Amino acid sequence: MAAPFGNKNAIKNKLWSDTLRRAITQDRGDRVRQAAERLLDEAAKGEQWAIKELADRLDGKSVQSNTLESNGENIAKIERVIVSFVSPNRVLTLDSDC
């Protein structure tokens, strides 16, 4: 579940992100370029962690999916489904009785 409306915890991460971006800009991105080249080198050597990191950065992390299968026995009836969509400004909840 997402944080409640008005939660300020993300500001802490923003400070770190802003500071890191400022340092990268002052460095003209030289060390970030070195890090990217090192990642490519390690992936080319077959390092699984580097290949995964590269794939996650280029294609995005894969979405976790859950699949339930049944042979038809002992199926519990779903009585209610609640889906919440969260945006920075409001929460929209769809509530359905099955």
Side-chain angles (χ1 to χ4, degrees), residues 45-66:
K45 290 179 191 174
E47 290 291 336
Q48 290 300 309
W49 65 267
I51 293 169
K52 182 182 181 318
E53 185 66 27
L54 202 53
D56 287 348
R57 295 295 171 177
L58 294 175
D59 297 336
K61 291 185 178 182
S62 57
V63 177
Q64 178 182 357
S65 65
N66 294 320

Side-chain angles (χ1 to χ4, degrees), residues 59-95:
D59 297 336
K61 291 185 178 182
S62 57
V63 177
Q64 178 182 357
S65 65
N66 294 320
T67 304
L68 299 175
E69 295 183 16
S70 172
N71 61 3
E73 297 176 15
N74 300 324
I75 298 176
K77 182 180 179 232
I78 297 174
E79 296 181 9
R80 189 173 188 185
V81 175
I82 299 174
V83 179
S84 295
F85 299 94
V86 181
S87 73
N89 300 324
R90 64 187 182 131
V91 175
L92 173 63
T93 300
L94 304 175
D95 191 349

Side-chain angles (χ1 to χ4, degrees), residues 17-57:
S17 178
D18 289 346
T19 303
L20 188 56
R21 289 178 195 283
R22 194 173 314 117
I24 290 169
T25 300
Q26 289 172 348
D27 186 46
R28 297 184 334 264
D30 292 341
R31 287 184 280 182
V32 171
R33 174 65 188 231
Q34 290 172 357
E37 288 176 2
R38 171 85 189 273
L39 177 63
L40 289 173
D41 290 343
E42 294 300 317
K45 290 179 191 174
E47 290 291 336
Q48 290 300 309
W49 65 267
I51 293 169
K52 182 182 181 318
E53 185 66 27
L54 202 53
D56 287 348
R57 295 295 171 177

